[in-house]
Amino acid sequence: MDFVNSFEEALSKGYIKAYFQPLTRSITGKVCGAEALARWDDPELGLIPPGDFIGQLEKHRLIHKLDLAMLENVCRFYQQNDCKDMTFSINLSRVDFVKTDMFQEINKILSKYDVPVKTIHLEITESTMLTNQEYTRKLFDQFKDAGFSVWMDDFGSGYSSMNVLKDYKFDMLKIDRSLLTKFDLRSKKIISSIVNMAKALGIHTLSEGVETEEQLSYLRNIGCEVIQGYYFAKPMCEDDFLAYLETHKVETESDFDFWNDAGKVNFLSGDPLMASNDLANSDEMLGTAPLALIEYFNGLITYPYLNTAYIKEISKLGYYSTEQIEHDINDEHYVYRDLFMRQIENTIHRGSIQKTDNIMNEVVYSFSTKLIASNGDRHLIATTVRVIDSERSDYMVLKYSQSLYATYDLVTKITPDKDSAVQIYSNAGFSKIYGTVSLSRGITEFAATEVHPDDRDRYLAFFDLATLNERVIHFIQQSFRVRNGDDYTMKNIRISKLENGNYLYTIQSY
């Protein structure tokens, strides 16, 4: 078939259509978008594979007409079916930018159908970025400044991907299907390295060509956010795609923003609650840090994600499944619920990393949390848990001081002569100031962030290091209003003299 000479007629008669392949959020299993793919449905030959005609259209400089026709089909579909919660990606060829002003033409079509810019994602291959780089850079910036999400397509299939990443800030990397073809240990390490690098650069990740449960499970565990492939669905005509949406959960617009924020967490980082700039352990296929995501909504806790290391840690506390944890934490009579919920609420209100040490079933553990996404009353929290090794020097103190956990909110050893502090224990979610900076600076910062403004001067006088030794015979104690979530609660603060110039600083609830 002469595709070049038949193209204009096929386009005008609607033989060339947009087929839709769903994109699925790996954590939730919900549809989070679709890619629009060109299909030529000839009345005599039937459905013609895109590989038969795309190359010919590019060679004869006609591909821009096809790509703009796909966009028009998407916009018409969006308008006719009220797809306000759906997003669509379309492919752009490097030849598109040679023959026409794509920025102007794309905006013209969006305006014609009243489709928001955020609905359309633009997929561009690395070869596009390497052609006429000065012009491409200008065009790239135009699209980004206008609010378009620009994706790098087929990442890993070419030779200059890293150079392109250095020069352009993409919103999404689409991992090429070729990396999943031979799904062995070497491929897995390459894919996990790509995901880790993308997280460090603040770029979302999508893997195409996913066909098996093994591939899906692996990609989900390493934090690849979006999945595309035959495992979920092949590209479908409009009617079949609408039927698919009727039987599958679809993200709302607020869901999309919420889970995109969640995508900032690097599942492979050595410390996933910190900024995503750690590299994966060179000797490990996956990161070893225990990591889970907690969703808190309408007073209920759910765990949409736990990695293997997290499950291993909580098994030491007597838990072996998310169902067990969710059942207990959502039970108002659960003995550890109040402590758990206090940390969750402090995490939501303060935004910074919150850490507590506690004992469960005679096992000492450390629990850290960080807010990563919020939408009204719905919050997503990243958490790590680590059982404290019995070899640690403070293990015996922690394990056999049950009353410590029941009585005190904060216990810190201070040494004024050395201007130092070591935080031994906290269960109130205070910012960890004492022990991370000098004692004198810690006093000032704690007063500024945790003590009620009307009590700060009195607190600073109480903690005056210059007169502390002469004032403390055995201990001194006063009550101050200390931060508790968004409010302040009256608490007893005591400084007790130890030996060798050391003191014990404690905060105790009434």
Side-chain angles (χ1 to χ4, degrees):
M1 180 175 177
D2 186 348
F3 294 112
V4 174
N5 289 322
S6 304
F7 172 67
E8 296 285 359
E9 179 185 5
L11 203 59
S12 64
K13 291 185 175 180
Y15 297 159
I16 301 178
K17 313 171 188 294
Y19 271 49
F20 299 97
Q21 186 170 30
L23 310 179
T24 303
R25 184 80 60 184
S26 63
I27 288 181
T28 65
K30 290 184 177 181
V31 178
C32 59
E35 180 180 5
L37 298 158
R39 294 293 185 267
W40 190 324
D41 191 4
D42 187 81
E44 295 180 5
L45 300 177
L47 208 59
I48 301 169
D52 290 354
F53 61 87
I54 294 291
Q56 289 295 311
L57 296 180
E58 283 189 321
K59 180 180 178 180
H60 290 83
R61 301 291 194 265
L62 294 171
I63 193 69
H64 66 286
K65 294 186 178 181
L66 176 69
D67 292 341
L68 290 173
M70 288 304 100
L71 175 62
E72 185 133 15
N73 279 341
V74 166
C75 290
R76 175 189 49 75
F77 179 82
Y78 174 93
Q79 186 186 68
Q80 290 178 352
N81 296 285
D82 190 26
C83 298
K84 58 182 177 61
D85 287 326
M86 280 295 295
T87 61
F88 301 88
S89 66
I90 64 165
N91 294 279
L92 298 183
S93 166
R94 60 185 178 84
V95 183
D96 290 344
F97 305 103
V98 175
K99 294 297 293 183
T100 188
D101 185 340
M102 289 300 287
F103 180 76
Q104 181 180 351
E105 292 300 320
I106 287 172
N107 278 289
K108 189 186 300 182
I109 293 171
L110 294 186
S111 178
K112 174 182 175 181
Y113 291 94
D114 194 25
V115 174
V117 166
K118 63 183 179 181
T119 300
I120 303 299
H121 306 315
L122 308 175
E123 297 190 23
I124 301 175
T125 60
E126 68 178 61
S127 60
T128 302
M129 314 310 293
L130 296 172
T131 304
N132 194 348
Q133 293 187 37
E134 184 177 344
Y135 172 70
T136 305
R137 162 65 70 184
K138 178 182 176 182
L139 198 60
F140 184 90
D141 291 342
Q142 271 188 310
F143 281 121
K144 293 285 289 183
D145 291 344
F148 286 95
S149 178
V150 183
W151 299 3
M152 185 173 181
D153 195 12
D154 300 333
F155 184 83
S157 64
Y159 300 100
S160 305
S161 301
M162 303 303 289
N163 281 333
V164 173
L165 281 185
K166 176 175 64 70
D167 295 331
Y168 297 93
K169 186 174 178 5
F170 290 91
D171 298 287
M172 178 83 80
L173 287 190
K174 290 193 71 174
I175 300 170
D176 188 66
R177 68 183 68 247
S178 63
L179 294 176
L180 275 70
T181 303
K182 185 180 180 183
F183 199 58
D184 55 11
L185 180 60
R186 189 174 183 84
S187 294
K188 290 177 181 178
K189 285 195 171 187
I190 292 171
I191 294 167
S192 65
S193 297
I194 292 173
V195 172
N196 190 33
M197 174 193 65
K199 297 281 185 176
L201 295 173
I203 305 174
H204 297 288
T205 50
L206 180 159
S207 183
E208 55 188 8
V210 177
E211 298 185 1
T212 68
E213 176 69 32
E214 180 192 8
Q215 293 170 342
L216 172 63
S217 178
Y218 177 80
L219 292 163
R220 184 179 189 273
N221 285 335
I222 65 172
C224 183
E225 300 160 63
V226 183
I227 304 299
Q228 179 181 3
Y230 286 6
Y231 180 85
F232 288 104
K234 296 181 179 181
M236 295 171 275
C237 65
E238 292 184 8
D239 289 342
D240 289 347
F241 181 59
L242 287 172
Y244 184 89
L245 297 181
E246 288 291 327
T247 58
H248 292 76
K249 292 182 179 179
V250 180
E251 282 187 355
T252 63
E253 184 178 342
S254 60
D255 281 338
F256 184 86
D257 294 335
F258 184 81
W259 289 107
N260 260 12
D261 285 342
K264 297 172 185 175
V265 178
N266 188 354
F267 290 14
L268 298 171
S269 170
D271 190 347
L273 301 196
M274 300 300 288
S276 297
N277 54 10
D278 293 333
L279 292 176
N281 188 320
S282 59
D283 296 323
E284 298 287 345
M285 184 173 62
L286 296 176
T288 56
L291 174 68
L293 298 181
I294 295 172
E295 188 172 354
Y296 180 50
F297 184 50
N298 286 338
L300 292 177
I301 293 289
T302 55
Y303 280 76
Y305 172 86
L306 301 88
N307 68 7
T308 302
Y310 195 93
I311 293 172
K312 182 178 179 181
E313 288 296 291
I314 63 173
S315 70
K316 300 172 187 176
L317 303 174
Y319 286 98
Y320 299 93
S321 70
T322 54
E323 290 78 13
Q324 280 182 288
I325 306 175
E326 291 172 359
H327 175 272
D328 283 355
I329 292 300
N330 291 313
D331 181 354
E332 293 183 359
H333 302 293
Y334 179 54
V335 65
Y336 298 109
R337 176 179 164 81
D338 288 346
L339 184 66
F340 181 92
M341 294 308 299
R342 184 196 306 174
Q343 179 155 344
I344 294 299
E345 288 165 3
N346 281 333
T347 302
I348 292 168
H349 292 309
R350 299 185 182 190
S352 58
I353 295 174
Q354 303 295 303
K355 179 179 179 293
T356 61
D357 303 315
N358 212 329
I359 293 177
M360 179 184 292
N361 301 326
E362 298 189 356
V363 177
V364 183
Y365 69 96
S366 177
F367 182 52
S368 300
T369 49
K370 181 181 180 181
L371 181 70
I372 56 174
S374 286
N375 180 17
D377 294 332
R378 184 184 182 196
H379 308 281
L380 195 70
I381 294 164
T383 170
T384 62
V385 62
R386 297 180 189 274
V387 170
I388 296 175
D389 191 343
S390 59
E391 299 301 317
R392 263 184 47 172
S393 60
D394 56 350
Y395 173 80
M396 296 301 289
V397 174
L398 291 168
K399 181 170 177 60
Y400 292 109
S401 298
Q402 294 276 6
S403 59
L404 189 73
Y405 295 90
T407 306
Y408 295 106
D409 295 332
L410 178 70
V411 179
T412 300
K413 186 186 79 169
I414 62 173
T415 310
D417 291 346
K418 296 182 179 179
D419 196 22
S420 67
V422 177
Q423 182 172 301
I424 298 173
Y425 164 76
S426 171
N427 73 0
F430 296 122
S431 299
K432 188 172 181 181
I433 297 171
Y434 296 120
T436 61
V437 298
S438 67
L439 173 59
S440 54
R441 181 178 168 187
I443 293 168
T444 303
E445 291 188 10
F446 190 88
T449 60
E450 307 295 341
V451 179
H452 191 283
D454 293 343
D455 290 353
R456 284 174 189 164
D457 289 341
R458 186 165 58 86
Y459 178 83
L460 292 171
F462 171 77
F463 221 143
D464 179 22
L465 296 179
T467 62
L468 190 64
N469 187 53
E470 63 188 63
R471 287 186 293 119
V472 181
I473 306 303
H474 298 293
F475 70 87
I476 57 173
Q477 178 175 299
Q478 288 189 33
S479 295
F480 300 90
R481 285 167 288 182
V482 178
R483 185 181 296 281
N484 183 14
D486 287 339
D487 205 353
Y488 292 88
T489 301
M490 191 66 76
K491 296 180 183 288
N492 283 326
I493 296 184
R494 174 184 289 201
I495 302 177
S496 305
K497 182 170 284 187
L498 302 175
E499 56 185 14
N500 300 324
N502 297 313
Y503 297 81
L504 198 65
Y505 167 77
T506 60
I507 298 178
Q508 183 180 18
S509 298
Y510 280 103

